[in-house]
């Protein structure tokens, strides 16, 4: 599955981008090949639980993410930065 990330808002609105990033580091936690963009809540739940399993605190609200087409880009960037810092620094 190809994920096209062009921004820190709508590109992250179905949870697949989070799953793709976390699958890179935690493949056992994310069954990436089984995921679809229609199952937003499942995608966010898998991603956030995978991150929390290694101590990355979730700063995003699943309900808010599921119901918005354009999540707050600053909030998304903050969470992605936390993931990056954990695995890459």
């Amino acid at each position: 599955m190809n994920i096209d990330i062009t921004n820190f808002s709508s590109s992250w609105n179905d949870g697949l981008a989070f799953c793709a990033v976390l699958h890179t580091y935690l493949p056992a936690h994310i069954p990436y090949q089984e995921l679809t963009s229609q199952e937003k809540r499942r995608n966010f739940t898998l991603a956030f639980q995978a991150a929390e399993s290694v101590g990355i605190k979730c700063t995003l609200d699943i309900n808010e993410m599921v119901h918005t087409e354009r999540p707050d880009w600053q909030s998304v960037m903050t969470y992605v930065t936390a993931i990056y810092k954990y695995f890459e620094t």
Side-chain angles (χ1 to χ4, degrees), residues 12-82:
W12 300 81
N13 73 359
D14 60 11
L16 288 176
F18 290 110
C19 286
V21 168
L22 286 158
H23 178 77
T24 301
Y25 302 107
L26 302 167
H29 291 265
I30 308 282
Y32 193 71
Q33 306 310 330
E34 301 172 15
L35 303 180
T36 68
S37 61
Q38 289 74 41
E39 294 183 279
K40 288 183 172 189
R41 183 170 300 277
R42 177 179 184 226
N43 299 341
F44 287 118
T45 300
L46 284 169
F48 297 167
Q49 285 177 347
E52 286 179 355
S53 77
V54 294
I56 301 169
K57 185 180 181 325
C58 185
T59 55
L60 300 172
D61 179 78
I62 288 180
N63 291 323
E64 185 179 317
M65 294 298 290
V66 167
H67 293 103
T68 184
E69 285 302 308
R70 298 194 65 78
D72 177 64
W73 70 270
Q74 290 170 313
S75 298
V76 171
M77 182 180 268
T78 298
Y79 188 56
V80 172
T81 299

